[in-house]
Amino acid sequence: MTPILTISLSLNVILIIWLLVKKGNNKSGLIPNEGSKKTKRVFDWKLDSSRGGGLKGHLELDFDEDAVLEQRRHNPFGRPSANGWDHKGYLQEMYYYMLGNPQNLLSCSKIVQYINRLCSQRGVNELDKLQFVLDFVQEPNIKYVLDDKSKELAGAQEYIRYPDETLFDGRGDCDCKAFLAATLYHLMGYNVLYILSDKLAHAAICIEYDSRWASRLDNKTDIRKATIEINGRWYIYCETTSDGFRIGNISKKESVKDFETILELRA
C-alpha cells in the first residue's frame, strides 16, 4: 500500500481570509510594491473538447520579479542535498509555505477567476471547465522543459517550482506543471492528488472523480487504469505535460496505481 500524506487545509480559504484582512487594513485595496520590477506574461490556450464550441483563453498577468525570486530562495529543491531529494517532505514544506504566504497565490487565483467567469458566460459544463484548466497547464501554453535545461535553475538536476515560478518562467517539467495544476484545481475547491513515481520518472495529478462525468469522458479513457480510491474518495488521472491529453487519458504502459508518492490535498 502506497503511503499517503493528506493535507486538509484549504488554500482558497486561507487566501480569502488574507484578502479580507488586507482589505480591512487598507480601505483603498491592495497596495503594490511600487519599488519592485513588474514583468508581464501572456497566456493563450484553447479547450480540447468536442463540446467546447471553440473556447479560447487569453490572459495577461503581471509578476513582481522580487516576489518570484523570494519564492525561489525559499524553495527546498534549491538547497544542496547530499542524500537526494525528499519529495514528499519538500512538497509538504512548499504547501505550508504557500499557506503562510497567501499573496503568492494571487496569480493562480486570477487564473481560476478568469476560467470560472469565461466558462460561466459560455455555458461550459463542469468536466470541460476542468479540461480547460488542464489545457492551460499543458503545452504549448506552459512549455515542457527539463530542469537541467532551464538556465534560471542554474543547472539543477531536480527542482519542483512553486506555481508562480512556473508561470513566470513559462515552462517546467512534469512535476512543476503538476504542482501548478494541483494548485489551480485546489483553489477551485476540488480535492486533488499530487502523484509522483521514481519508477516511471514522472509526476502528474488526479482530481476527485464524479461518476456523472462517465458518459462525457474521452473514449480513450481506461477507467480501471485512470482511477484510484484514496481514503474513500475516487480520483481520476490528469496528464499535465503534453497537449492532447484529456482528463482520464493515461499512457498505455502506465497506471495511476504505479505512482509511489501520493500527496492528497483536501479542499
Side-chain angles (χ1 to χ4, degrees):
M1 176 67 180
T2 300
I4 313 298
L5 174 63
T6 298
I7 299 176
S8 299
L9 292 172
S10 170
L11 292 174
N12 195 41
V13 170
I14 296 297
L15 178 59
I16 290 171
I17 293 172
W18 180 82
L19 286 170
L20 289 173
V21 171
K22 190 76 173 177
K23 188 174 183 180
N25 292 334
N26 169 32
K27 294 182 179 179
S28 62
L30 299 180
I31 301 176
N33 181 357
E34 297 297 342
S36 61
K37 182 180 179 182
K38 298 296 190 295
T39 300
K40 187 181 296 294
R41 293 288 186 260
V42 179
F43 303 94
D44 290 288
W45 74 107
K46 60 182 179 179
L47 173 61
D48 181 11
S49 169
S50 59
R51 301 176 298 272
L55 185 67
K56 295 181 180 180
H58 173 85
L59 185 61
E60 298 182 4
L61 295 174
D62 289 322
F63 289 89
D64 181 330
E65 289 192 21
D66 291 339
V68 175
L69 290 175
E70 183 68 12
Q71 291 178 66
R72 238 192 271 282
R73 281 192 289 268
H74 280 88
N75 193 312
F77 285 93
R79 298 196 296 255
S81 175
N83 302 313
W85 299 274
D86 175 13
H87 285 91
K88 188 173 289 186
Y90 285 1
L91 285 166
Q92 184 179 20
E93 180 179 338
M94 293 170 72
Y95 187 85
Y96 282 115
Y97 177 78
M98 291 194 298
L99 285 170
N101 298 272
Q103 69 274 15
N104 296 332
L105 294 168
L106 288 174
S107 293
C108 284
S109 179
K110 289 176 182 177
I111 295 168
V112 167
Q113 290 173 23
Y114 173 84
I115 289 175
N116 280 335
R117 183 172 61 252
L118 181 62
C119 289
S120 177
Q121 291 171 350
R122 296 287 294 272
V124 174
N125 65 64
E126 183 183 26
L127 184 60
D128 280 347
K129 181 173 74 171
L130 297 176
Q131 179 65 45
F132 199 43
V133 175
L134 190 60
D135 293 327
F136 178 92
V137 177
Q138 292 174 347
E139 287 198 302
N141 194 38
I142 305 293
K143 295 181 175 60
Y144 178 81
V145 179
L146 295 173
D147 296 331
D148 60 0
K149 304 297 183 183
S150 300
K151 61 181 181 180
E152 64 273 10
L153 302 183
Q157 296 301 305
E158 175 67 352
Y159 189 96
I160 300 179
R161 292 167 168 89
Y162 281 108
D164 265 7
E165 291 184 83
T166 301
L167 293 168
F168 181 81
D169 296 339
R171 57 185 179 176
D173 62 2
C174 57
D175 46 26
C176 301
K177 290 157 74 76
F179 198 50
L180 171 59
T183 302
L184 293 173
Y185 283 133
H186 196 206
L187 284 171
M188 294 181 86
Y190 290 90
N191 295 318
V192 182
L193 302 180
Y194 182 98
I195 56 177
L196 189 145
S197 171
D198 290 330
K199 179 178 71 174
L200 301 174
H202 192 44
I205 68 161
C206 297
I207 189 169
E208 188 171 5
Y209 176 62
D210 188 329
S211 60
R212 291 174 296 182
W213 301 344
S215 62
R216 294 180 171 178
L217 290 174
D218 185 82
N219 56 17
K220 297 178 183 178
T221 299
D222 184 337
I223 203 71
R224 294 168 300 175
K225 292 175 57 178
T227 57
I228 187 170
E229 184 181 10
I230 300 293
N231 295 329
R233 292 176 169 83
W234 281 95
Y235 290 87
I236 190 165
Y237 184 85
C238 300
E239 177 59 60
T240 61
T241 53
S242 303
D243 188 25
F245 280 90
R246 295 182 181 176
I247 291 175
N249 290 170
I250 189 168
S251 297
K252 291 182 179 179
K253 296 181 180 180
E254 297 177 4
S255 166
V256 69
K257 300 173 183 66
D258 293 333
F259 290 78
E260 308 97 37
T261 298
I262 298 178
L263 176 66
E264 184 182 29
L265 303 177
R266 296 271 188 90

